[in-house]
Amino acid sequence: MAAEKSWPRFMEKKLTNTAKLNRGKAYLVGAGPGDPGLITVRGLEILKKAEVVIYDYLAGEKLLKYVPENAEFIYAGKKGGIKHTHTQDEINAMLIDRVKRGKKVVRLKGGDPFIFGRGGEELEELVKAGLPFEAVPGVTSASAAATFAGVPITHRRYTSSVAFITGHEDPDKENSNIAWDKISTGVGTLVFYMGIKNLESITTNLMKHGRNPKTPVAVVRWASRPNQKSVVGTLDTIAEIVRVNDIKPPALTIVGDVVKLRDTINWYEERPLFGKRILVTRTREQASDLVALLEENGANCLEFPTISILPPDSWQELDNALGRIGDFQWIVFTSINAIQSFFAHLHLKGLDSRVLANCKIASVGKVTDDSLRSYGLISDLVPEKFTGEGLAEAFEKQGVTGMDILIPRALKAREILPVRLKKAGARVTVVPVYQNKRPEGIHDTLRAKLANKDLDIVTFTSSSTVTNFIDMMDVKDKKELQELMHGVKIAAIGPVTARTIEENGLKVDIQPEKYTIPDMVDAIVDYMVAHGDG
Ligand code: SAH
């Protein structure tokens, strides 16, 4: 270890060069079954460094957010039975082309690349082309379906063997590659991939070759995803059950006595918010805590940002202020967004915190103060009450007559602080460093979801999320809004938000006693448990 520590830096460079780390390489990575938490640590590491990602329909689009934004994203398609976006030859050609161009190319595949994933074929092509690659396994969907539908695919009491079988092949086909006579009775648990279309002939064939018609069967669609759906029957009933419940691919069929255990250990689908479609309206940046907690309780969250944070139309006013920064005795930060935008612009101009060396700094509360510390600055003033009013009071107390005060903030914001500072005798310069805008392109999707009753609950965590949401819906009056929201439950984080909801003609169904995100989630769970499926 000591030798490693004293390894001279120039040697490190040499090693890097000889190892040719900048050479193109392909990474065949298993994405797992859909829940982004189920990719391997190695797979994620690779994704985060990808320069090109070629991903499949089943590879879980939620993982794409880990790929660097400037990477090339190629959707390879391949939805079973339906039109392919690219043929296998085209995919192979793209893979080889990008690796030859020196890129780190991730070939991201659903589940495990070597289990009905054609991973082997793609690697054979890379070998033929003489290109380097690494392969990373993934959680195959059979394993996920077993875990998330409460069906252990092996169990000492029931079976000691399992087979993964493609159901893509019509069992009636002559010269089948599958030894139906042997697998029907020779293997304990059978898991069919891609078998929904042929389910009836698969089950008939198994019974014909001696499997007991009363063998339990589970069919699991979208395993490990919040929209997972599963049905259970027996060999002689399951095809009809799947038809009646309109179960479509992608789904797996698990045949065997182990399916009986589902009654005891079906933990995933029994979580209190399982299958509930909940709309989360917050800024994109803030939504994650609420979504994580709701999902842990089983909810299927739809994140619709009602606010996007954008740069101001022009930086001129800030640049003017920076040009005479020495004139200001105080600079005031009233939000994290203001801090982040202010410093991002400063850094872009090749400047840093030292620009503020001669100003005193005020922040509106603990969160803004903490954020400033990450830029190496400690606030000279933080009010006791973390609001604009609180800050105005603190300034008034110490006197600001004749002082120059700079406030970088949102384009549109409450005027209370500048107004009171001016009244107290200060010269106040307000400059926009960001603006809130209604995100585009969401309106139609959202209205359609409400009209089709594709949502169970809408959550609001502040008055502005309510007004932005209503703005976004573009309704002509309260009545149209009420009609759209009919049947959808509304959750408000606290009384101020609730009042805004009610002022707009809607009814609040769920409201926690304490105004925090975890309390709001508890209140939603309690409500859903009390009201059953209704
Ligand atoms: N390599 C993948 C399988 C690809 S074949 C793996 O290891 O899982 C495609 C088939 O996999 C689908 O038709 C379906 O049967 C199954 N499948 C993939 N993801 C699934 C999921 N989340 N839930 C249920 N079945 C899934």
Side-chain angles (χ1 to χ4, degrees), residues 332 391-393 395-396 399-407 409 414-431:
V332 181
L391 195 52
E393 240 163 68
F395 268 121
E396 284 158 3
V400 288
T401 318
M403 287 191 182
D404 267 292
I405 301 181
L406 176 62
I407 311 182
R409 58 161 219 194
R414 294 197 313 147
E415 293 302 333
I416 189 82
L417 180 64
V419 165
R420 279 178 64 171
L421 290 177
K422 276 183 206 161
K423 247 197 201 148
R427 278 185 301 274
V428 180
T429 307
V430 171
V431 297

Side-chain angles (χ1 to χ4, degrees), residues 111-335:
D112 184 284
F114 281 3
I115 299 180
F116 304 123
R118 292 192 165 200
E121 293 168 43
E122 293 181 17
L123 293 190
E124 279 170 334
E125 291 300 316
L126 287 163
V127 172
K128 256 194 239 159
L131 296 170
F133 63 81
E134 174 179 331
V136 182
V139 173
T140 189
S141 51
S143 180
T147 307
F148 294 100
V151 178
I153 38 183
T154 74
H155 189 289
R156 281 195 304 171
R157 264 206 314 278
Y158 297 95
T159 174
S160 43
S161 61
V162 56
F164 293 169
I165 304 152
T166 170
H168 192 52
E169 188 181 276
D170 188 343
D172 292 335
K173 166 179 130 179
E174 275 179 47
N175 308 323
S176 167
N177 288 324
I178 300 166
W180 290 97
D181 53 333
K182 303 209 170 75
I183 61 153
S184 294
T185 51
V187 182
T189 308
L190 305 173
V191 185
F192 290 91
Y193 288 65
M194 301 170 280
I196 293 304
K197 211 173 85 236
N198 292 327
L199 190 57
E200 178 134 34
S201 24
I202 291 170
T203 48
T204 310
N205 223 18
L206 290 173
M207 290 184 285
K208 198 168 83 193
H209 287 97
R211 191 75 176 220
N212 183 345
K214 295 297 165 213
T215 311
V217 183
V219 171
V220 187
R221 181 172 197 240
W222 285 130
S224 84
R225 302 201 188 202
N227 56 341
Q228 171 175 315
K229 184 160 183 189
S230 58
V231 291
V232 178
T234 50
L235 262 190
D236 57 352
T237 60
I238 194 73
E240 176 64 8
I241 291 172
V242 162
R243 208 181 50 74
V244 171
N245 286 280
D246 199 27
I247 306 277
K248 300 232 155 61
L252 288 160
T253 307
I254 309 177
V255 179
D257 286 336
V258 282
V259 172
K260 288 181 193 153
L261 285 161
R262 181 179 153 84
D263 293 340
T264 325
I265 52 178
N266 187 16
W267 64 278
Y268 184 74
E269 295 177 8
E270 276 171 9
R271 293 172 308 162
L273 300 179
F274 179 73
K276 295 284 174 256
R277 293 150 308 174
I278 304 186
L279 180 75
V280 175
T281 56
R282 300 189 70 178
T283 63
R284 196 186 289 282
E285 294 76 11
Q286 297 168 326
S288 51
D289 290 354
L290 178 57
V291 169
L293 271 178
L294 288 170
E295 284 182 347
E296 210 173 302
N297 283 290
N300 185 1
C301 289
L302 291 141
E303 290 176 63
F304 276 98
T306 56
I307 305 172
S308 326
I309 308 291
L310 298 171
D313 293 330
S314 155
W315 288 105
Q316 196 54 51
E317 290 179 58
L318 176 62
D319 287 340
N320 292 346
L322 288 174
R324 58 180 196 94
I325 193 77
D327 293 348
F328 294 101
Q329 279 85 41
W330 281 95
I331 181 164
V332 181
F333 291 103
T334 50
S335 73

